[in-house]
Amino acid sequence: MDNNEDNEFMLESEDEDDEFSDEEDEVLFGQDEESSSVEEERLRVQYADAEFSDEEDEALFGQDNRVVYFSELRRVKHNDTSGHEYLHLEDIEMSTSAWARVGLFLGNNTHLEMLNMRSCELKVEDLRVLMDGLTRNNSLRKIFLTDNGGIGGAEGMAVVASYVDGNNQLDLLDLMKTDLDEEGLSLIVPALNKSSIQHLILGDNQNIFNS
């Protein structure tokens, strides 16, 4: 898509007031602290399940992530089996709504085997919406969550444990440098024992190794 097409899409979107409500646009541009959590959840689910065109998804992921969308995410979205069997999203920062879309893409994908999300500054809510989609995926074998320091506590590991528990296709889970603590570890271990995971990477989590 060239600059002229980008400008044309932006102008068309401004004219289509009935396409997104004010509340939906608020999610894309950021909500204030007083926004209702119930409303956020409703809109999150709506973004995860909606059928967006590639241009609409490009707008959601933002100009900063335009390259990774067209080089990586679009092939996953369309379940392109001619591409690689891995998805690298290293050092990519996105909104929670965008992570919900990634979860949907992965949930509908049938051939991807490795997901790398190293250093994406994932928050617990990002992880939650992502895992919502991953529960529908039956092909992933390896997941790397390395260097996402905001997910190693009880809340984040409860999300991971819910995904891992009973998972019979995953072989490797990398939780290195996630600030994993004892409470988080106590949640993930029972789930691991009910999964097919053979390789667990926990290095550089000082909260557990120095305790």
Side-chain angles (χ1 to χ4, degrees):
M1 180 182 294
D2 59 29
N3 291 334
N4 290 333
E5 290 176 330
D6 284 343
N7 293 335
E8 180 180 1
F9 172 70
M10 291 174 64
L11 290 172
E12 290 175 354
S13 297
E14 291 172 357
D15 292 335
E16 294 174 357
D17 293 333
D18 59 342
E19 186 171 358
F20 285 164
S21 68
D22 290 340
E23 291 80 4
E24 291 169 323
D25 279 334
E26 187 178 2
V27 170
L28 292 180
F29 292 103
Q31 296 178 316
D32 59 39
E33 293 181 355
E34 298 178 356
S35 297
S36 164
S37 60
V38 174
E39 182 65 11
E40 288 179 359
E41 176 67 10
R42 181 186 70 80
L43 292 174
R44 179 190 66 75
V45 172
Q46 181 173 337
Y47 278 113
D49 293 339
E51 289 294 334
F52 284 0
S53 67
D54 287 335
E55 289 78 10
E56 288 170 321
D57 270 326
E58 180 192 355
L60 176 63
F61 285 101
Q63 287 299 313
D64 290 344
N65 295 316
R66 182 176 186 271
V67 173
V68 75
Y69 174 70
F70 279 102
S71 64
E72 298 281 349
L73 290 171
R74 187 170 62 170
R75 66 179 175 82
V76 177
K77 172 184 178 180
H78 295 293
N79 202 21
D80 182 359
T81 57
S82 65
H84 302 297
E85 295 178 342
Y86 54 81
L87 175 61
H88 286 293
L89 297 177
E90 292 186 62
D91 300 305
I92 299 296
E93 297 179 36
M94 294 188 285
S95 68
T96 301
S97 297
W99 282 115
R101 293 294 291 167
V102 174
L104 177 67
F105 299 166
L106 291 167
N108 293 333
N109 190 277
T110 60
H111 71 283
L112 204 68
E113 294 188 3
M114 192 272 280
L115 174 62
N116 182 2
M117 295 178 291
R118 180 187 179 96
S119 304
C120 289
E121 296 194 15
L122 287 170
K123 302 182 292 294
V124 171
E125 185 58 24
D126 300 334
L127 189 64
R128 181 175 290 113
V129 298
L130 181 70
M131 294 296 181
D132 282 349
L134 284 183
T135 56
R136 298 190 296 272
N137 179 283
N138 294 314
S139 63
L140 279 174
R141 301 292 182 266
K142 306 177 191 298
I143 296 180
F144 295 84
L145 293 169
T146 317
D147 201 15
N148 285 286
I151 64 172
E155 192 176 3
M157 287 302 101
V159 175
V160 176
S162 179
Y163 168 68
V164 168
D165 193 340
N167 189 307
N168 294 317
Q169 74 263 1
L170 205 61
D171 175 68
L172 180 147
L173 178 63
D174 185 349
L175 298 175
M176 184 175 177
K177 297 175 69 174
T178 55
D179 286 343
L180 182 67
D181 58 25
E182 289 187 359
E183 192 173 2
L185 186 62
S186 69
L187 291 171
I188 194 70
V189 168
L192 291 170
N193 291 332
K194 299 176 184 177
S195 75
S196 59
I197 292 176
Q198 298 296 313
H199 306 281
L200 177 66
I201 304 174
L202 298 177
D204 290 335
N205 283 301
Q206 303 304 317
N207 293 327
I208 55 174
F209 290 109
N210 289 342
S211 60

